[in-house]
Amino acid sequence: MSSFFLAVSPPAVVINPPITKDLKEEYDFIVAGAVVASRLSENPNFDVLLLEAGGKATETSEIPAFLGLLQRTDLDWNFTVGPSSEFCLGMIDRELRRSFGGTIKPWNQKKKDSEDMAGVTKKFCHYSKNRKITKILNSQETVIDGFRCSTNKAFLVPAGGRKNFNVATYSHVTKVLIDPNTNRAYGVRYFRNGAYHDVLARKEVILSAGVINTPQILMLSGIGPKEHLKELKIPLIKDLPVGFNFHDHVGFSLTFVTDKPITYIPQRYNNLITNMTFDLFKKGPLTNPGFDATAFLNSKFQDPKLSYPDIQVNLLPSTPATDGGLGDGGLGRKLLNLGDE
């Protein structure tokens, strides 16, 4: 039996934008956040720099079913929540491994600036629909022609040929440079190739670095809770409650036994027929990231006047016990840090 890593052919499309080796000293906009940077560069009068902490997409990262294999690698931030006596009681050392992704947002069919529901466009993230992989699959994924349609592929690859757009990978932003007299951001400091570098912004510095990294960068720049910055000996620019509006995404699972072969088990994924189906036709189980259905609901505790729900229900075709602890490419025990007990 061949390994599916060997059986799967790489995508025949470009999955990474051109990377800029030598950066300019100054840009109009410096951005930590791919989508914003790409959209700004649509204006040819703007000189835009995107600083990406990570590296390039890989063949593995392009295959939807390999989603779980990316966690705890150099493609993952590898955030871990410290031990607690109140939650994560089933985790090893009671530590939770965190992965961030997905949003809950209002949907406007007439104004979809960053998402394309209907077809294939290089400008927007493409949402697949009506894909009959299993009898219960009813979710929409960012999948196109069997491969993941990532932010990288949807926004950075099409923008890669623009002369006014530079992309720097393995460039970890560590500080926003702020004039303490005017409180104006005039550049950023980033770590790349073993050294720190400064780059200046003529117009704006834009942080869109995620729920953890954005407040961290702000605090390292002197914007945050005064007492906390004082403890860390960071010069204060502005005393603000940065990071205090963090809302944890709490979840738990219920397991059910099915009487039909519609769920994930390793034998259905790691076999020659499945591999050849994907390799030749870009169809089959390997095109499924592992979420068959989802629903957003209001519990009895949610204020009906609010425009968003407070509960999300996901239907997954697997359990943490499916893989026997070996890592199933989705929700294996190792990926969730679940203990044997």
Side-chain angles (χ1 to χ4, degrees):
M1 181 182 295
S2 64
S3 167
F4 48 62
F5 281 105
L6 297 177
V8 172
S9 297
V13 297
V14 178
I15 63 175
N16 286 294
I19 305 302
T20 306
K21 182 179 179 181
D22 299 316
L23 303 184
K24 305 173 186 177
E25 295 182 355
E26 190 176 44
Y27 293 83
D28 290 322
F29 295 93
I30 303 173
V31 186
V35 177
V36 175
S38 173
R39 299 304 299 272
L40 279 171
S41 69
E42 292 176 4
N43 187 332
N45 297 318
F46 291 159
D47 205 14
V48 181
L49 170 64
L50 170 64
L51 294 174
E52 279 284 349
K56 294 183 178 181
T58 66
E59 295 174 10
T60 302
S61 68
E62 291 300 295
I63 299 174
F66 291 176
L67 171 66
L69 298 179
L70 307 181
Q71 297 182 32
R72 320 313 290 180
T73 70
D74 60 359
L75 294 177
D76 184 11
W77 280 104
N78 295 310
F79 289 125
T80 301
V81 177
S84 171
S85 60
E86 299 180 352
F87 53 82
C88 297
L89 306 185
M91 306 331 191
I92 298 174
D93 297 327
R94 295 186 174 181
E95 291 184 343
L96 174 65
R97 294 175 176 175
R98 299 300 304 267
S99 294
F100 297 90
T103 57
I104 301 175
K105 59 191 171 183
W107 176 258
N108 188 330
Q109 181 64 28
K110 295 182 179 179
K111 186 179 181 181
K112 46 185 186 295
D113 291 340
S114 297
E115 295 170 334
D116 171 36
M117 290 285 290
V120 181
T121 68
K122 293 183 178 181
K123 185 177 178 181
F124 303 127
C125 281
H126 173 81
Y127 277 79
S128 64
K129 57 182 179 180
N130 301 325
R131 298 192 308 127
K132 301 297 183 183
I133 300 174
T134 70
K135 293 183 178 181
I136 58 176
L137 179 62
N138 191 31
S139 63
Q140 295 170 331
E141 305 97 12
T142 50
V143 175
I144 180 172
D145 296 332
F147 292 103
R148 288 183 61 222
C149 184
S150 63
T151 303
N152 188 47
K153 185 188 296 182
F155 291 94
L156 300 188
V157 170
R162 298 171 187 161
K163 296 181 179 179
N164 64 323
F165 187 40
N166 285 177
V167 178
T169 54
Y170 296 110
S171 301
H172 190 171
V173 175
T174 60
K175 183 179 182 180
V176 177
L177 304 177
I178 302 173
D179 187 329
N181 297 316
T182 63
N183 283 350
R184 181 185 181 276
Y186 63 89
V188 302
R189 180 164 297 158
Y190 64 97
F191 187 79
R192 189 189 198 196
N193 296 329
Y196 288 94
H197 310 271
D198 291 350
V199 60
L200 306 181
R202 286 185 288 265
K203 295 183 182 294
E204 293 181 16
V205 173
I206 300 174
L207 286 183
S208 182
V211 68
I212 297 293
N213 295 71
T214 294
Q216 182 198 32
I217 294 172
L218 287 173
M219 286 187 277
L220 289 172
S221 308
I223 302 175
K226 180 179 180 180
E227 295 302 318
H228 184 51
L229 298 187
K230 185 178 180 180
E231 292 175 4
L232 300 175
K233 298 181 180 180
I234 298 176
L236 181 68
I237 297 292
K238 188 69 174 178
D239 181 16
L240 291 173
V242 171
F244 277 74
N245 198 34
F246 179 84
H247 290 249
D248 215 344
H249 196 164
V250 181
F252 70 95
S253 61
L254 299 173
T255 301
F256 303 88
V257 178
T258 65
D259 57 1
K260 293 184 179 181
I262 57 175
T263 59
Y264 167 86
I265 58 174
Q267 295 91 325
R268 292 196 187 113
Y269 272 47
N270 190 13
N271 62 70
L272 185 60
I273 295 178
T274 296
N275 300 338
M276 291 186 65
T277 300
F278 183 86
D279 199 36
L280 297 175
F281 308 109
K282 304 302 179 282
K283 294 181 179 181
L286 293 183
T287 67
N288 183 8
F291 289 84
D292 280 350
T294 189
F296 297 99
L297 309 170
N298 282 345
S299 73
K300 65 180 181 180
F301 303 104
Q302 179 70 331
D303 185 349
K305 296 180 182 179
L306 297 178
S307 61
Y308 54 87
D310 63 341
I311 290 181
Q312 178 180 3
V313 179
N314 291 317
L315 180 62
L316 282 65
S318 64
T319 81
T322 298
D323 64 348
L326 298 177
D328 67 355
L331 293 177
R333 287 192 294 169
K334 286 189 176 182
L335 296 176
L336 291 176
N337 199 36
L338 289 174
D340 291 338
E341 180 181 346

